[in-house]
Amino acid sequence: MTTIHEPSRETPVTQEVDLCVLGGSCTGVFAAIRAARLGLSVAIVERMGAFGGVATLSLVNVWHSPKDEVFEKTIFAGLSIELMDRLKIRKAVNERDRSPHWAWSFNAFEMQIELDELILEHKITPWLHTSFAAPHVEDGELKAILVENKSGRGAIKARFFIDATGDGDLCQRLGLETYRGAHRQPSTTCALFGGWDSLGNLDWEKLIRDNAGEHKIPDGFAWGAMIPDSKLYMLAGTRVFQDCSEAEGFTKAEIEGRRQIRAIHDILRKQAPDANITLQGLPARIGIRETRHVRCLHQLTGEEVLNGHVFPDAIANGSYRVDIHHTDKPGITFRYLDGRESYCRPGMADEKSRWRAESDVNPTYYQIPYRSLVPQSAYGNILAAGRFIDADEQAHGAIRVMVNMNQTGEAAGTAAYLALKNHVAAKDVNTDTLRKTLADGGSIIL
């Protein structure tokens, strides 16, 4: 590879804060809010033009149940519930009870605006259309990040940093150990369609499945949800295999996802000519399930998740099943905490089995420990939050959904406050105090 020489230059410091959060997903936003509520000055950096990440920019407009697997016990609260309550005021949420698929569907565009308002209400400094370029280290300490935006190159200095980029960009560029799973889950490009009700009782999944080969659509899994108080339908029916952690793969993935959307549209128009299906919206960014992970003090395992292991430093609780979108075969596999397993492939009966023998007592939720957010690092002022935390293939298949990752953001923001308050490194934050502070702020700690 040929190179060019960039001359050294002086970079202006555009802001100095207590905490800088990289990544404006709900995970990142919630980290910023929890820290701001505890008194820190906070900046949040997002390379796109809106907050919310997969929930808004990728159009994945569903969140999963706050109840345990048997729908008897509430296992999380905090900012996820606060945001849903705010959206209900605008008639921007539909609710479902006792569903393993999702509990809320919402209007992603209303959520974008609501997140703007939350950021401003908490006096957090937003940096939209701002790309993280590099970390700045002095005398072995992480002091700032370098960013690029319409004003050029600048630096944001902070005492603490949270990497909520989804891909672990800050951790990776600091040289921390990262890894990719052996069977990385594929991405999905969603789309908004109008006229979905004109399909009536037509089996649209069968239409897509029967004609997928002609249009080179991978044999995957399709689902969707109506946008509340509208006639628009969000369809998640594509399967994109390119690696989105690198520029070339990310570019190819975006184009391939849109190609598959058009192919699905063409199938519906041809096979259901009496329906009036129109393409009404595409995501600003493909929905990514998995890229790289960062090596932390503890790797959460599928065994720990599926057996409901209780952690003394637990900072998040979840009940969404292990959900593995396969790269080496069609369809998806669901594993439940009660030992059930189901392999689901479009057009075929579900293959039901058990990954564990029947038992009189089963766990009904799992936990994420704080240790899985603390990178193995010489830098004491950085935490990870979001889908790239340290988890193996099975664990990631369960914990990666947004309501779980939102909790990791709240924990990281709270831990940043405690680290700065007590002048300790991230790894030395007292987890009993962390859990109590989270509970005092509205989280459910079990």
Side-chain angles (χ1 to χ4, degrees):
M1 178 185 294
T2 60
T3 63
I4 62 171
H5 173 70
E6 287 189 87
S8 62
R9 58 179 171 177
E10 297 295 317
T11 302
V13 175
T14 56
Q15 189 179 17
E16 294 188 41
V17 290
D18 295 322
L19 171 66
C20 180
V21 179
L22 276 72
S25 65
C26 289
T27 298
V29 170
F30 290 179
I33 291 172
R34 289 298 285 257
R37 286 181 177 178
L38 290 165
L40 297 189
S41 59
V42 184
I44 186 167
V45 175
E46 168 55 46
R47 68 182 180 86
M48 304 293 284
F51 297 110
V54 169
T56 59
L57 298 169
S58 303
L59 303 180
V60 185
N61 69 319
V62 298
W63 280 0
H64 298 94
S65 177
K67 300 287 188 179
D68 64 1
E69 189 171 80
V70 294
F71 304 102
E72 292 179 355
K73 183 175 187 175
T74 301
I75 59 172
F76 72 79
L79 284 161
S80 294
I81 304 299
E82 285 189 39
L83 183 55
M84 287 298 105
D85 287 344
R86 291 172 69 119
L87 289 174
K88 288 175 188 176
I89 296 171
R90 305 194 66 83
K91 298 182 180 179
V93 179
N94 287 335
E95 294 186 83
R96 292 203 307 196
D97 189 34
R98 304 181 70 84
S99 170
H101 304 296
W102 52 265
W104 301 287
S105 65
F106 50 82
N107 184 316
F109 310 107
E110 292 277 12
M111 181 181 280
Q112 280 189 29
I113 301 172
E114 207 65 45
L115 291 171
D116 288 342
E117 293 191 354
L118 279 164
I119 288 288
L120 297 179
E121 286 171 14
H122 288 85
K123 296 181 172 54
I124 298 163
T125 303
W127 292 95
L128 294 174
H129 296 296
T130 298
S131 296
F132 163 63
H136 177 71
V137 175
E138 294 180 14
D139 300 323
E141 295 185 13
L142 177 59
K143 295 287 190 179
I145 59 163
L146 304 179
V147 297
E148 296 272 0
N149 56 29
K150 284 293 186 180
S151 298
R153 194 173 182 90
I156 299 174
K157 296 183 72 174
R159 296 195 291 152
F160 204 99
F161 297 84
I162 293 174
D163 187 340
T165 59
D167 303 313
D169 291 336
L170 175 57
C171 292
Q172 191 261 348
R173 293 181 196 183
L174 276 169
L176 307 188
E177 182 184 353
T178 61
Y179 64 93
R180 292 175 175 85
H183 302 94
R184 174 180 43 80
Q185 296 207 34
S187 302
T188 293
T189 300
C190 299
L192 299 182
F193 285 97
W196 203 257
D197 56 349
S198 67
L199 288 170
N201 295 321
L202 203 62
D203 188 345
W204 57 266
E205 292 180 85
K206 185 175 187 303
L207 292 182
I208 295 172
R209 179 179 66 247
D210 290 349
N211 295 275
E214 176 187 351
H215 293 267
K216 298 180 180 178
I217 300 173
D219 189 358
F221 193 79
W223 61 277
M226 294 297 297
I227 305 300
D229 205 26
S230 81
K231 294 186 177 181
L232 292 177
Y233 186 79
M234 185 284 292
L235 176 68
T238 64
R239 177 167 281 203
V240 181
F241 295 103
Q242 283 83 0
D243 183 358
C244 294
S245 65
E246 304 294 342
E248 183 178 1
F250 202 174
T251 299
K252 290 180 178 179
E254 293 282 18
I255 293 172
E256 170 60 16
R258 290 191 287 268
R259 184 200 69 78
Q260 290 184 33
I261 289 294
R262 171 163 280 186
I264 290 171
H265 191 199
D266 287 345
I267 289 170
L268 295 175
R269 293 171 68 182
K270 180 179 180 180
Q271 301 300 325
D274 294 332
N276 182 31
I277 304 299
T278 59
L279 180 60
Q280 295 290 319
L282 289 168
R285 184 170 62 206
I286 192 171
I288 301 172
R289 289 188 178 86
E290 186 176 16
T291 52
R292 64 173 74 95
H293 294 265
V294 63
R295 189 71 66 190
C296 292
L297 299 182
H298 177 81
Q299 183 183 65
L300 185 63
T301 68
E303 182 179 0
E304 290 168 334
V305 166
L306 286 168
N307 289 288
H309 185 80
V310 175
F311 293 97
D313 61 339
I315 47 79
N317 308 301
S319 63
Y320 184 69
R321 61 221 168 165
V322 169
D323 168 0
I324 298 177
H325 290 245
H326 298 290
T327 57
D328 55 349
K329 61 181 179 180
I332 62 179
T333 293
F334 294 122
R335 293 191 181 104
Y336 297 85
L337 301 182
D338 63 3
R340 290 176 295 131
E341 179 169 318
S342 182
Y343 173 50
C344 304
R345 183 178 176 184
M348 303 181 70
D350 293 350
E351 298 177 19
K352 298 184 182 297
S353 60
R354 297 193 65 84
W355 64 266
R356 182 181 67 205
E358 290 192 49
S359 173
D360 292 334
V361 179
N362 296 296
T364 61
Y365 63 91
Y366 48 80
Q367 297 188 314
I368 301 173
Y370 174 67
R371 286 166 287 164
S372 295
L373 279 61
V374 184
Q376 294 184 15
S377 165
Y379 307 105
N381 62 339
I382 182 171
L383 282 168
R387 60 177 165 80
F388 75 102
I389 63 172
D390 202 350
D392 72 9
E393 180 179 337
Q394 278 206 106
H396 177 77
I399 68 168
R400 63 175 170 77
V401 296
M402 287 180 273
V403 292
N404 293 338
M405 295 299 96
N406 292 349
Q407 295 173 74
T408 69
E410 295 186 63
T414 304
Y417 160 76
L418 291 173
L420 292 176
K421 175 186 177 184
N422 296 305
H423 307 286
V424 298
K427 66 181 179 63
D428 296 321
V429 168
N430 183 294
T431 53
D432 290 337
T433 304
L434 172 60
R435 283 161 52 86
K436 182 180 185 304
T437 308
L438 282 167
D440 290 344
S443 299
I444 291 178
I445 297 298
L446 301 173

